[in-house]
Amino acid sequence: MKNMNQLITIAFFVLSTNFFAQDKQDQQNEIVAVWITADETKIEIYKEGNVYLGNPINSKGERNTKIEVLNLEYTNGKWVGKIYSKKRGKLLDVECLVEGDNLLLEVTTRFISTELEWNRAKS
């Protein structure tokens, strides 16, 4: 009977660990989508390995892989990395957070931060 209780405890632990790991993975991937910026540009964010990349969508609805807008990693419940600033012509630090159908971006250059909001494109 003691062995049966130990076996049940071990099985429960393995199953619950897998469940919580899947939940964390789902949370990390909630950024994977097509997003619409304030100027109506569509950016597709996708996962490649452990990195989340963002590329613009061209007029044909295809991802333009020649232009990388975002390069992010998931850390401590948010995505952190670099965003390309077309206005400045360089990469800036960015932190992203998904809230429902909104992507909140905090872009930092030196000591100045700017907040942006992108919306999830409807399928």
Side-chain angles (χ1 to χ4, degrees):
M1 187 65 161
K2 185 176 179 181
N3 288 339
M4 183 60 97
N5 286 339
Q6 289 175 336
L7 184 60
I8 290 171
T9 302
I10 291 170
F12 177 75
F13 177 74
V14 169
L15 291 173
S16 65
T17 302
N18 190 25
F19 174 76
F20 289 115
Q22 183 63 41
D23 186 47
K24 183 179 178 188
Q25 189 66 35
D26 290 345
Q27 185 179 15
Q28 289 178 9
N29 290 333
E30 68 183 343
I31 197 170
V32 174
V34 175
W35 299 92
I36 303 172
T37 67
D39 67 355
E40 301 297 317
T41 301
K42 290 184 178 180
I43 305 293
E44 182 178 5
I45 298 177
Y46 59 98
K47 186 174 183 181
E48 194 170 281
N50 290 329
V51 178
Y52 295 85
L53 302 173
N55 301 104
I57 303 290
N58 65 22
S59 60
K60 296 177 185 177
E62 301 165 334
R63 183 189 315 152
N64 183 348
T65 56
K66 294 180 182 176
I67 301 173
E68 188 176 284
V69 177
L70 287 169
N71 188 315
L72 307 167
E73 289 187 8
Y74 188 77
T75 344
N76 299 323
K78 55 187 159 190
W79 295 266
V80 179
K82 298 290 184 180
I83 186 170
Y84 178 73
S85 170
K86 189 167 70 171
K87 180 180 176 182
R88 296 181 186 271
K90 63 181 182 176
L91 294 172
L92 303 175
D93 293 328
V94 66
E95 287 187 9
C96 303
L97 183 64
V98 175
E99 287 187 358
D101 285 338
N102 298 320
L103 179 61
L104 308 175
L105 300 96
E106 183 178 354
V107 182
T108 306
T109 174
R110 298 188 191 214
F111 304 106
I112 301 171
S113 291
T114 302
E115 293 181 3
L116 305 173
E117 184 175 319
W118 295 357
N119 300 309
R120 189 183 308 266
K122 306 298 181 210
S123 299

